[in-house]
Structures are given as structure tokens and as C-alpha cells.
Amino acid sequence: MCAEYATFGLAPAMRAGGVRNDGGYQVHRDFVDFIVDGRPLLFQLSDLDAVSPLASDVPPAIFTAQVRSLLLESPAPLPGGRYVVYGCPECEDLACGAVTAVIRSDGEDFVWRDFAWQTDEHADLDLNGYHGIGPFRFRGAEYRAALSALLNGSAPEPRRRVLLIGPRVAVLAKLAAALRTIGVGADIAHDADGVPADELRGYGAVAFGHAAGEQERAAVRRAFERAGVPVAHVDGLAPIVPLLVAQIEHALDSSPAEQRRLTGLTVTDGGAHVEVTSACRVTLTAYRLDRLSRTHTHEVFDGVLETGRHRLALDAKAARSRSFLVARTSTSVLVAAVRQ
């Protein structure tokens, strides 16, 4: 049994949504992640695409029940005192697979142990156990304070609505449709004049179309400033919907910068430099508009990168001027322009 204490905390996290090149999509999910010894527990689970049970889009009663369950105020939902720690971000069905752990009290302490990948009611620790993770012993006061704060209205309130500003309504309509498909609300407007502050507080980002003028942009920024609403501003790089979605997803990421998995993307000397804080799958896609405003998409890289900084060579298709690179992990998105 673990003798040393681990620290326990909570932080906002995101499962990054996106529009795939094959026409499919990945749903955006905001959730509260478990921070163990200063790092997201999710990052210790290899390249797992999952969310915690503390997702922001579940009904309040279910969210409260999940918190009270982790506080051991209700019986374990699975045999053997097991609790779901991370589940499928699309449907949250146990049949899709989930990370579970035994959670129990030991005096004033709380202990998480016997982590396993589980697809039915019973876990096979020999076959599917995460033998290198845990057990973790948390001080009761710290553990209760972090989770109880969620019951006292201290849970982060992600604002998953985006205000789209620009004259090219056709492009913005396609972008709004794509955002709504992945679970992000979107409204289109020419400006924000006269919009009540309460309405402006519902937006997490303002995205300006590539053709939006500087006066329009400045006026919208002033409207949010007068309302006292801090909001992320996105300057659209090009009228390419998957690229704009990636920019907006990055802007909506409310997780602490030091706890993100994908932390760097730059393009220099014919290569893309990607930095990750834990081993994970990274995809790198290049987008480009030709002179006839047609979009060209090129898959540059799809593989697992170890912790650190990596240089990925760009071929002639990806290294052209007026190209843009999108790097993705399951939890993070970054965008960079190719400049020559």
C-alpha cells in the first residue's frame, strides 16, 4: 500500500473537437480533470482520448452525483468498489472502454488504486491493469476541499459559444455549422453594438473573418471591454473551415498552459517544430488556398511523439507559402502559418 502522500487538485480541461478531412468530426467536450502531484492524471494514461466524469455538459444533478460519488457519499457504481475515472468522450458507455480505479477511505485519507481498462462490469487487473500507475494516497482535507468546491458553485463554467464577425456570410455560415456539429455554439453578426452585457458573457471567443476590417474588430473589442467580459479574440488566417475551427478550439482551451499536452508549434527552415509534455499521438495537417480560392489539404504526420521537442520535415506541398499547419492531440490544438 502507498505510504507517501500525493497531492490532489482539479483543473479545467478540454477534449478538442475538430472537423476531419474525411468529412467526419470530433465532438468538443469540456471537463474537470484530476491533477495528481501537479500533473493531469490523464497524461499518465498513454495516449488516451477520454474525459473525466466531471464533464461540463452533463445535467447539474448528474454532475453533483458524480462529485458525491468520488467523495464516497454513495455506493460504488461498479463491483469491487470501482469508480469510472475516465470514459469515452463520445458516448460515455462502459462498453466503449473506461479507466476505472478502486477508491476507498483509509482513516481520514482517500486512496485510489488498482487502475484498469474496463469494458464490462468486472475488471481484469492481470490483463488490463495499469500496473505503473498508483496507488495514490490523498490527504482527506485536501481531497474533500477540491471536490466540495465543485458543489459550492466553484466549478469552472466553460463558455462554448463563439461570436463570428465578418462580411463573408457564406464562409461564416459554413463555419457556424461546423462548430455546432462538434458541440460549440456559434452566432453570426456584423458587430456587437447594443448587445447586453449578460448576452456577451455567454461567449468564450470572438472570431473575426479574414475580410473583417480593423475598425470592425476594434469596435467589437470595445463592446466586450465596456461590458467587462474577458474574451479570446481569434483573427481568422484564411477562409478554410477546418483551419478556423482549429483556431477557435485553441482559443476556447481554458486549461492552465503549464498543464497542456501540446505546448509548441513553429515552422522554420522547412520543418515543423512540435513540443509535447507527455507521449501522445500527434497529427499534423497542412492547409492551403490556391489562386482560385480552392482549399488543398495535405496530411504531414500522424504518429506518437515522446515527451520533448521534435522536428518534422515538411515536403514541398506543406512548405509552400500561404500554407497553414494544424497540430492536434486529443486535448490540444495549435496553428502556425508557413512563411517564406
Side-chain angles (χ1 to χ4, degrees):
M1 179 57 62
C2 53
E4 297 184 359
Y5 284 100
T7 62
F8 181 86
L10 302 169
M14 178 183 79
R15 191 270 187 139
V19 178
R20 300 194 184 103
N21 298 324
D22 60 5
Y25 62 90
Q26 182 169 291
V27 174
H28 175 108
R29 299 290 303 278
D30 291 297
F31 63 99
V32 178
D33 201 3
F34 308 111
I35 308 301
V36 178
D37 285 337
R39 294 189 68 237
L41 178 60
L42 181 61
F43 291 3
Q44 298 188 42
L45 299 169
S46 185
D47 186 37
L48 185 66
D49 181 14
V51 299
S52 81
L54 306 178
S56 65
D57 53 355
V58 300
I62 295 178
F63 185 92
T64 298
Q66 295 285 12
V67 174
R68 295 197 180 282
S69 178
L70 293 171
L71 287 167
L72 304 185
E73 294 178 6
S74 58
L78 296 171
R82 303 193 71 83
Y83 294 76
V84 173
V85 179
Y86 294 105
C88 173
E90 299 287 345
C91 67
E92 302 180 51
D93 191 332
L94 184 61
C96 289
V99 176
T100 66
V102 173
I103 301 178
R104 66 177 185 84
S105 60
D106 184 12
E108 290 297 312
D109 300 338
F110 286 79
V111 177
W112 288 24
R113 61 176 175 83
D114 297 337
F115 289 81
W117 178 254
Q118 195 166 340
T119 56
D120 55 36
E121 286 196 351
H122 299 280
D124 187 332
L125 291 179
D126 292 332
L127 183 63
N128 297 314
Y130 287 97
H131 301 293
I133 298 178
F136 301 115
R137 177 181 291 273
F138 305 116
R139 289 182 172 83
E142 179 183 58
Y143 184 90
R144 291 190 187 90
L147 287 168
S148 296
L150 300 179
L151 302 175
N152 299 328
S154 298
E157 298 182 1
R159 292 175 291 169
R160 294 195 311 275
R161 295 196 67 80
V162 181
L163 183 61
L164 308 179
I165 303 290
R168 301 183 65 173
V169 177
V171 174
L172 296 183
K174 292 179 182 179
L175 175 58
L179 290 170
R180 292 165 187 154
T181 297
I182 68 172
V184 176
D187 299 309
I188 301 172
H190 291 293
D191 55 52
D193 291 342
V195 180
D198 287 343
E199 291 187 28
L200 294 181
R201 290 191 185 96
Y203 294 106
V206 176
F208 300 102
H210 188 63
E214 187 52 45
Q215 289 186 342
E216 295 174 271
R217 298 169 189 247
V220 172
R221 291 189 178 100
R222 286 195 299 270
F224 277 89
E225 289 171 0
R226 286 195 301 269
V229 179
V231 67
H233 298 280
V234 178
D235 292 316
L237 292 172
I240 302 172
V241 169
L243 174 67
L244 295 172
V245 169
Q247 286 190 264
I248 290 170
E249 280 290 282
H250 173 68
L252 291 175
D253 190 351
S254 60
S255 62
E258 67 276 10
Q259 292 172 359
R260 297 182 186 180
R261 176 169 267 165
L262 178 63
T263 56
L265 174 64
T266 56
V267 183
T268 57
D269 301 325
H273 300 267
V274 180
E275 187 169 2
V276 294
T277 59
S278 63
C280 60
R281 178 188 175 193
V282 176
T283 62
L284 191 63
T285 308
Y287 297 95
R288 180 178 62 86
L289 281 180
D290 64 19
R291 295 182 179 180
L292 298 177
S293 296
R294 295 174 299 191
T295 299
H296 297 265
T297 305
H298 179 53
E299 298 292 344
V300 177
F301 178 81
D302 186 347
V304 175
L305 296 179
E306 297 298 322
T307 303
R309 186 175 175 84
H310 305 265
R311 183 185 185 278
L312 305 176
L314 299 178
D315 59 22
K317 291 182 180 179
R320 293 180 181 179
S321 60
R322 299 182 63 197
S323 292
F324 305 92
L325 294 181
V326 174
R328 284 184 172 275
T329 68
S330 61
T331 59
S332 307
V333 184
L334 286 177
V335 178
V338 178
R339 305 190 187 280
Q340 293 183 343

